[in-house]
């Protein structure tokens, strides 16, 4: 149906900041839950942050207080502002969207239908 494209990855030193963007286009039905996931080598893909249309954001405990997720419903865009980055934040970051609300499953990757290709974040110590 639609397309999801991330941008904004890169390399930064520990303590630095990066901003990821996600653009979802070509969808004929409204997108509800939009989220960021990440996957480091040898680890499972995990939810980082998610947000519903007009709803409160959700965060993984590991990023609370450092990352901020926001969205523009009209433009179908999603942003992840990442501050105070740590080496453990290094991973491939993916944007995921779906037509259902986040509910209790915002961080369950199997509930997402559409994924971006991913963008790499590397944090050096």
């Amino acid at each position: 149906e639609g397309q999801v494209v991330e941008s904004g990855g890169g390399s930064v030193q520990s303590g630095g900041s990066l901003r990821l963007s996600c653009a979802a286009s070509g969808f004929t039905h409204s997108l509800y839950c939009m989220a960021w996931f990440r996957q480091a080598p040898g680890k499972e893909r995990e939810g980082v942050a998610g947000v519903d249309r007009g709803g409160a954001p959700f965060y993984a405990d590991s990023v609370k207080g450092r990352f901020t997720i926001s969205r523009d419903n009209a433009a179908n865009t999603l942003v992840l502002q990442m501050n105070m980055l740590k080496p453990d934040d290094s991973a491939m970051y993916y944007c995921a969207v779906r037509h259902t609300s986040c509910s209790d499953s915002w961080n369950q990757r199997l509930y997402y239908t559409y994924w971006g290709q991913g963008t790499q974040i590397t944090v050096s110590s």
Side-chain angles (χ1 to χ4, degrees), residues 8-107:
S11 298
V12 67
Q13 289 192 327
S14 183
S17 298
L18 283 173
R19 182 181 176 93
L20 298 182
S21 296
C22 170
S25 61
F27 291 93
T28 56
H29 300 286
S30 296
L31 296 174
Y32 281 82
C33 192
M34 300 181 77
W36 290 97
F37 284 74
R38 67 186 181 188
Q39 187 168 18
K43 295 188 177 181
E44 291 191 358
R45 192 170 297 189
E46 63 175 357
V48 175
V51 62
D52 256 325
R53 291 175 71 90
F58 303 91
Y59 295 100
D61 288 343
S62 59
V63 306
K64 281 180 181 176
R66 300 188 297 122
F67 290 11
T68 302
I69 190 171
S70 59
R71 65 184 285 172
D72 181 328
N73 291 330
N76 273 346
T77 56
L78 184 71
V79 170
L80 185 68
Q81 177 65 43
M82 304 182 291
N83 299 327
M84 295 182 286
L85 283 161
K86 306 175 182 179
D88 283 349
D89 294 318
S90 297
M92 186 72 79
Y93 282 70
Y94 299 89
C95 177
V97 303
R98 69 196 202 200
H99 296 302
T100 55
S101 65
C102 291
S103 185
D104 295 330
S105 61
W106 73 269
N107 59 350

Side-chain angles (χ1 to χ4, degrees), residues 5 9 32 93 121 123:
V5 179
Y32 281 82
Y93 282 70
I121 299 295
V123 184

